[in-house]
Amino acid sequence: LFLGSEQNLDETPPGHAAISNDFLASTLATTQIVDDTCTFLAAQRCGMQQDQYKSWLYITPPDFLFALLQTCNIIDASGMPDPQIVRTFLEYSRAEAVLFLYQNWLSSTTVNELRLVDGLTFEGTWVNHPQSARQTIHNLLQKVPADTWWNLDSFILGVKLKMPDFQRPAGDYDSWYIRSTTNGQYLRGFSSWEEVDGALIRYLITQPLHFLGLVDLGSPDKDAAPVAFRWSRWATSLLKDQVPGIKEPVPGKIHLFNTGLITIPRA
């Protein structure tokens, strides 16, 4: 709940609905983070480096998986899996695993999405509070109506107008030393809001919330970056901390070829 100012009591969602051209191509939320987690754990146990297995992951970047599984206590600080907790996790149904990952992500104080945003580098010893920022955006997103494609840029602009300091204690835009990797310039002051705070909102919606099965993404065409989003078919259950109605995929068959090739279906 938002308390403390009249603007926080406004139930109007930030931004506006998307136009049809914004979602001519759509990318639906999937449960592939469950498969990526299994691949990641196997690679970590084998002592592989990220560049060795990165291409094997369906959708989830290894740096996000590392942070997420660490906050779940599935891996330790060095990245090694905890056998007992891994066993418990792998015994979950696909739907239970998605809910478990989502709940741990939402409450995490150690997954720091700002530090994972592409195009930014960080200097100094300043500290941000990722869980508070994440929860604020999560709450604002719940004002967006179900079954409605929403324009991403307008949502970000709406947050800037309604609650620009969502991750800045006391509106401090000068003590965080953040550089652009493009030109090396420091991104300080409110004039850099889009490059830092806006970029964090874009990251949260198009990456973690999509990876974790909560939002579908829309683009003008299949090769364009997302410009729209909507709640997924599982979002209502996940937002209520309920196991979503995700069907287990049909296992399929393992095929062995005389060339030595073995193909195993994802399930």
Side-chain angles (χ1 to χ4, degrees), residues 158-214:
V159 176
K160 184 180 182 181
L161 296 174
K162 284 175 176 256
M163 197 175 291
D165 302 340
F166 73 94
Q167 70 162 343
R168 305 277 188 162
D172 179 7
Y173 288 85
D174 294 310
S175 65
W176 293 5
Y177 288 88
I178 304 174
R179 284 182 187 265
S180 165
T181 56
T182 303
N183 56 28
Q185 296 295 312
Y186 281 108
L187 301 173
R188 300 176 70 181
F190 191 70
S191 61
S192 296
W193 191 95
E194 283 83 1
E195 290 86 353
V196 179
D197 306 79
L200 173 60
I201 298 171
R202 189 179 304 277
Y203 174 87
L204 287 169
I205 295 173
T206 62
Q207 298 206 43
L209 283 162
H210 177 60
F211 301 153
L212 291 163
L214 279 96

Side-chain angles (χ1 to χ4, degrees), residues 206-229:
T206 62
Q207 298 206 43
L209 283 162
H210 177 60
F211 301 153
L212 291 163
L214 279 96
V215 299
D216 302 326
L217 301 176
S219 306
D221 62 71
K222 63 181 180 63
D223 297 319
V227 299
F229 65 92

Side-chain angles (χ1 to χ4, degrees), residues 49-83:
Q49 300 299 311
Q50 285 189 9
D51 58 355
Q52 294 177 278
Y53 63 82
K54 192 158 104 175
S55 63
W56 299 349
L57 302 174
Y58 285 103
I59 59 169
T60 326
D63 53 358
F64 175 74
L65 272 178
F66 192 101
L68 176 62
L69 298 185
Q70 200 169 18
T71 206
C72 294
N73 295 316
I74 291 176
I75 60 173
D76 61 22
S78 69
M80 287 304 295
D82 179 298

Side-chain angles (χ1 to χ4, degrees), residues 83-136:
Q84 188 55 50
I85 299 178
V86 167
R87 178 176 179 173
T88 300
F89 175 78
L90 293 177
E91 288 175 346
Y92 287 154
S93 69
R94 186 169 290 265
E96 290 170 336
V98 170
L99 179 61
F100 172 81
L101 294 173
Y102 161 67
Q103 289 175 325
N104 277 272
W105 168 75
L106 187 61
S107 63
S108 174
T109 58
T110 57
V111 176
N112 193 340
E113 291 89 355
L114 181 61
R115 302 274 177 161
L116 301 177
V117 174
D118 287 337
L120 303 179
T121 57
F122 306 89
E123 300 174 0
T125 58
W126 54 271
V127 176
N128 64 312
H129 300 284
Q131 197 277 333
S132 175
R134 180 190 314 121
Q135 188 68 63
T136 299

Side-chain angles (χ1 to χ4, degrees), residues 9-74:
L9 299 177
D10 179 10
E11 289 304 313
T12 305
H16 56 74
I19 61 174
S20 57
N21 285 346
D22 288 344
F23 51 91
L24 292 175
S26 60
T27 304
L28 302 183
T30 69
T31 61
Q32 288 179 325
I33 192 171
V34 178
D35 306 285
D36 285 347
T37 298
C38 188
T39 299
F40 175 90
L41 290 171
Q44 289 295 120
R45 181 155 184 177
C46 291
M48 299 176 72
Q49 300 299 311
Q50 285 189 9
D51 58 355
Q52 294 177 278
Y53 63 82
K54 192 158 104 175
S55 63
W56 299 349
L57 302 174
Y58 285 103
I59 59 169
T60 326
D63 53 358
F64 175 74
L65 272 178
F66 192 101
L68 176 62
L69 298 185
Q70 200 169 18
T71 206
C72 294
N73 295 316
I74 291 176

